Amino acid sequence: MSDQSATPDLVERLRLFFAAASRRDLDTLATFYASDAVLDLSDLGLGTYDGLDAIRAFVEDWFRSYAEYETSADEILRLGENVILTINTQIARLPGSSGSVRLHDAYVFLFEDGLIARHTAYRDIDAGRAAAERLAEERG
């Protein structure tokens, strides 16, 4: 009998997720999401995307907007069995520009069966933290 847990290390999965995003590797990013996942960017004014096809189309368009793009999770905090909060930095350069754009925000991830079921972005990090704490409490 194996001593290894069948539960994936969600923190490590998110490290790999951010690495794939920085490489703009859409195929690898898609493997992290459930087929019926929801990407909620409404707090950023960018809408909500239901299902893997809609998420992939949005992310592909997002990546295409930038000549250079890098993202990192500065902090990854597991707040419950399936709830993780990340504090992130995105740095990007628009085509034809010498300056870069920097975005510092928070993501709340809800995992089901080792896959991202819901990914919600928050412009305000404290609001993201509070949302993650509520979700973790609801999920027990």
Side-chain angles (χ1 to χ4, degrees):
M1 187 177 273
S2 172
D3 288 338
Q4 287 188 338
S5 171
T7 305
D9 180 346
L10 301 181
V11 171
E12 181 58 26
R13 286 189 55 73
L14 282 176
R15 285 188 182 105
L16 296 171
F17 171 89
F18 278 90
S22 283
R23 291 190 314 270
R24 302 187 205 199
D25 183 346
L26 287 167
D27 291 334
T28 298
L29 278 176
T31 68
F32 291 94
Y33 286 97
S35 61
D36 60 348
V38 174
L39 174 60
D40 183 353
L41 304 174
S42 56
D43 190 62
L44 305 178
L46 298 172
T48 300
Y49 303 87
D50 296 314
L52 186 54
D53 290 340
I55 293 169
R56 185 181 175 112
F58 171 80
V59 173
E60 184 174 22
D61 196 40
W62 180 262
F63 288 163
R64 209 179 3 239
S65 299
Y66 298 103
E68 294 175 13
Y69 179 80
E70 182 181 332
T71 185
S72 63
D74 305 323
E75 292 181 58
I76 301 176
L77 306 168
R78 192 165 188 164
L79 299 176
E81 179 149 347
N82 295 313
V83 177
I84 297 185
L85 169 71
T86 63
I87 311 301
N88 322 295
T89 301
Q90 296 178 67
I91 301 171
R93 186 178 59 78
L94 295 167
S97 171
S98 60
S100 62
V101 176
R102 177 183 290 263
L103 177 64
H104 195 64
D105 57 7
Y107 297 160
V108 176
F109 292 93
L110 174 62
F111 283 83
E112 292 178 4
D113 299 321
L115 296 173
I116 299 167
R118 187 166 189 92
H119 172 181
T120 306
Y122 293 87
R123 183 178 314 275
D124 181 283
I125 292 169
D126 291 333
R129 187 180 312 275
E133 290 169 350
R134 281 192 306 275
L135 183 59
E137 192 172 305
E138 287 170 13
R139 295 290 174 152

